[in-house]
Amino acid sequence: MNGEAKMAGVLTTRGIRIHTRRRTMRGYVLDGFLLLLSFLMLAPFLWMISTSLRLPQDSFSLPPAIFPTAFNVENYGQVFKQVPFTNFILNSLEISLIIVVGHIFISSMAAFAFARITFPGRNLIFIIFLAGLMIPGQVTIIPQFILISKLGLVDTHWALILPALINPLGIFMIRQMMMTISSTYDEAAYMDGASRMWVFLRVILPMVFPAVAVTSVMTFIGNWNDFFRPLIFLNTFEKMTLPLGMTVLNGTFGSGNLSAILAGVTLSLIVPLLFYMFGQKYLVEGITAGGLKI
């Protein structure tokens, strides 16, 4: 019996080692595949940064070089000399932050109404409201322009801010996370004499912060990179946002310095990258919670 037990123990140990070795090999293969995939995704950004440091005459060299032959930092200085780059950044930052604050305020209150307040036709109204996600922005730009023009807001930043304050996607994400919260929290607060606004601000809203964070990141990056609406509503050069003002670097008939253009693009990525890094830990949790309950 002792011999059989020892043999069984040896076989078990050997089996565990083989299984562990196979798992380790699979892990190495998976890690290698993910590293390759990450490199393919980062390659355009690496080429952009590399080209932004090249001499202008080396931008179109064949075969294309991965690393710059000479680190020409002057390309970044040309960005500020050719266009009011700082002013463009401040314009985009002002518009994007105001939209984020207003959008979160409106979306969270609307989500609270759809998730925590029972009223006739609530689900039907919510479905009709979500139908707005199927309408492309290009379809509604003409009615928006007519309305903005009658309000006298053309060539102002408010022409970009007001239409962007309401977004069905943000309301949907926050509402879905609110639906996962037990109603006992509301009932306990109401029994203690709390008002509905107090429950919203002090009980429910802090619990859905991941959804609020991911909505904020999506809204900020979407409006920071928006080119279409500023092209329609803004005419004054000093009021232009960063994506629209950057077109000046392209020059007449595309004759601009490619290295300077990509230097400007690299600089324009700093602010959204910092904003994304601030909210990245909430992205997975917020997106996952958004699809738990309908």
Side-chain angles (χ1 to χ4, degrees), residues 103 107 111 167-175 215:
H103 172 66
S107 297
N167 187 352
L169 180 60
I171 297 175
F172 171 76
M173 293 185 63
I174 299 175
R175 181 256 187 188
T215 304

Side-chain angles (χ1 to χ4, degrees), residues 9 19 43 70 76 115 168 279:
H19 181 68
Y76 288 86

Side-chain angles (χ1 to χ4, degrees), residues 95-156:
I95 293 171
S96 300
L97 289 179
I98 293 177
I99 290 176
V100 168
V101 173
H103 172 66
I104 292 302
F105 177 75
I106 295 174
S107 297
S108 58
M109 293 188 69
F112 181 81
F114 283 122
R116 317 299 291 186
I117 301 176
T118 302
F119 55 89
R122 181 183 68 172
N123 294 333
L124 178 61
I125 296 175
F126 183 67
I127 292 174
I128 296 175
F129 187 76
L130 285 183
L133 292 173
M134 297 184 292
I135 303 176
Q138 291 78 4
V139 175
T140 60
I141 195 64
I142 294 178
Q144 280 187 25
F145 183 83
I146 294 174
L147 178 60
I148 294 297
S149 178
K150 290 185 179 296
L151 293 175
L153 297 177
V154 175
D155 199 26
T156 66

Side-chain angles (χ1 to χ4, degrees), residues 218-238:
M218 293 172 58
T219 303
F220 181 87
I221 294 179
N223 287 278
W224 178 272
N225 295 328
D226 188 16
F227 176 81
F228 178 67
R229 293 190 307 122
L231 180 65
I232 300 296
F233 291 112
L234 298 181
N235 302 319
T236 307
F237 186 65
E238 290 75 16

Side-chain angles (χ1 to χ4, degrees), residues 26-82:
R26 284 200 300 266
Y28 288 150
V29 173
L30 180 60
D31 291 342
F33 174 76
L34 292 177
L35 286 174
L36 177 61
L37 188 62
S38 300
F39 176 78
L40 293 176
M41 296 180 66
L42 291 175
F45 296 96
L46 296 176
W47 178 85
M48 176 186 68
I49 297 174
S50 175
T51 306
S52 69
L53 295 171
R54 301 181 199 275
L55 295 172
Q57 60 268 24
D58 295 336
S59 299
F60 298 98
S61 61
L62 292 175
I66 299 177
F67 300 102
T69 55
F71 289 87
N72 186 26
V73 188
E74 180 61 25
N75 293 325
Y76 288 86
Q78 289 296 323
V79 175
F80 293 91
K81 292 179 181 179
Q82 295 181 24

